[in-house]
Amino acid sequence: MDFLTSYLAWIAVTVTTVVFTAGIYTQLRRREAKLRARKMTRALSKTHTILTAIEHVPDPLINRDLRRGLVLLLSHHVDVLNQTNPDHAHLNALQNRVAQINRMPSGLKKVKLRSKIERRHASTALEELAKLLKDATVEGELERRDGSLAEASAKFTGQQIAVETARQSAKDAENIRAYPQALHFAQQARQLCRNLPPMVGGKLMESVSADIERLESRLGHPTKI
């Protein structure tokens, strides 16, 4: 009787242990699956956001440091997608797109964004890329040096576009003889020049200062119709 009781107790403990272990294993598998799904979703979302932003920035405006940072960040997210879902339908297309960006020439020619819409889209896209690169550096998805250089490049290019936008607005206002408005935009451009590195900002500052002097002289005389 004692043997039977002990045997039944052993069976009960064994069954309980198996059930408990199976429950823990199932929970761990579910948690792992959810984590893998979150990583995959995040990787897809980040790559989509980056590639969409890049479409609004002309290739020549993406210099070497910015291109390198973007390629490294995109490659990181593609690796995550490859680890979490190697059979994903978009994986091959993403790998090809990253390879295209990596081969893209940088800074070989100058480009001028002529319309306000183009400049606004490019400026917004560069701001978004700068933020993504900064976040990726903080989160350890990019090496600090690569991330910082790429972020600075995105900001620098965006600031150049902002100066050009303000200068173009000043020219447009001057063309219709709205000199007070033109002067306001020119002064705005001068303020934006102060955010640029001295070598570039200094040259632009000279041009903008000349614009301001010309407009101030215009305001000192009656407008001729």
Side-chain angles (χ1 to χ4, degrees):
M1 187 67 177
D2 290 340
F3 172 78
L4 180 60
T5 301
S6 299
Y7 180 70
L8 291 175
W10 177 82
I11 291 177
V13 170
T14 301
V15 170
T16 301
T17 302
V18 170
V19 171
F20 181 72
T21 303
I24 292 177
Y25 177 76
T26 301
Q27 288 181 355
L28 290 175
R29 288 294 300 272
R30 287 176 179 173
R31 185 178 300 175
E32 182 183 353
K34 288 181 179 179
L35 180 60
R36 188 165 57 246
R38 282 198 297 270
K39 287 182 177 180
M40 181 188 70
T41 300
R42 184 177 185 277
L44 287 170
S45 175
K46 291 291 184 180
T47 51
H48 174 75
T49 300
I50 294 169
L51 293 175
T52 301
I54 290 175
E55 293 299 321
H56 292 293
V57 183
D59 292 354
L61 292 181
I62 301 178
N63 64 21
R64 185 182 63 180
D65 289 333
L66 178 54
R67 177 171 58 85
R68 174 177 169 77
L70 291 173
V71 168
L72 289 172
L73 182 54
L74 284 168
S75 298
H76 166 79
H77 291 304
V78 168
D79 287 344
V80 171
L81 182 59
N82 193 33
Q83 293 168 8
T84 55
N85 190 352
D87 298 321
H88 196 282
H90 296 314
L91 182 57
N92 188 55
L94 286 173
Q95 290 172 328
N96 291 334
R97 184 70 180 102
V98 173
Q100 289 175 358
I101 296 172
N102 194 34
R103 294 193 299 267
M104 184 175 67
S106 302
L108 297 182
K109 62 179 181 178
K110 293 183 178 181
V111 63
K112 186 172 183 180
L113 299 171
R114 299 189 178 279
S115 74
K116 290 182 179 179
I117 294 177
E118 286 179 327
R119 289 194 294 271
R120 182 166 61 250
H121 284 171
S123 181
T124 301
L126 287 163
E127 287 177 7
E128 188 166 22
L129 289 174
K131 185 179 185 306
L132 287 168
L133 290 161
K134 180 179 180 180
D135 292 344
T137 304
V138 171
E139 293 168 8
E141 296 169 345
L142 278 177
E143 293 291 336
R144 184 164 297 279
R145 181 178 181 278
D146 294 323
S148 297
L149 286 173
E151 180 195 353
S153 296
K155 286 182 176 180
F156 170 66
T157 304
Q159 288 164 352
Q160 283 186 301
I161 294 174
V163 172
E164 181 60 33
T165 298
R167 290 193 72 192
Q168 188 59 52
S169 296
K171 290 178 183 178
D172 293 341
E174 185 178 5
N175 288 338
I176 60 173
R177 299 185 179 183
Y179 298 125
Q181 290 86 344
L183 180 60
H184 169 74
F185 287 123
Q187 290 170 336
Q188 187 180 73
R190 181 170 61 184
Q191 182 63 34
L192 290 168
C193 284
R194 296 192 174 104
N195 297 327
L196 295 171
M199 184 174 294
V200 177
K203 294 179 180 179
L204 277 174
M205 183 73 79
E206 292 178 5
S207 299
V208 172
S209 295
D211 294 341
I212 291 174
E213 289 179 9
R214 185 182 65 256
L215 290 167
E216 287 176 339
S217 67
R218 292 277 190 179
L219 285 170
H221 297 82
T223 303
K224 295 181 180 180
I225 303 291

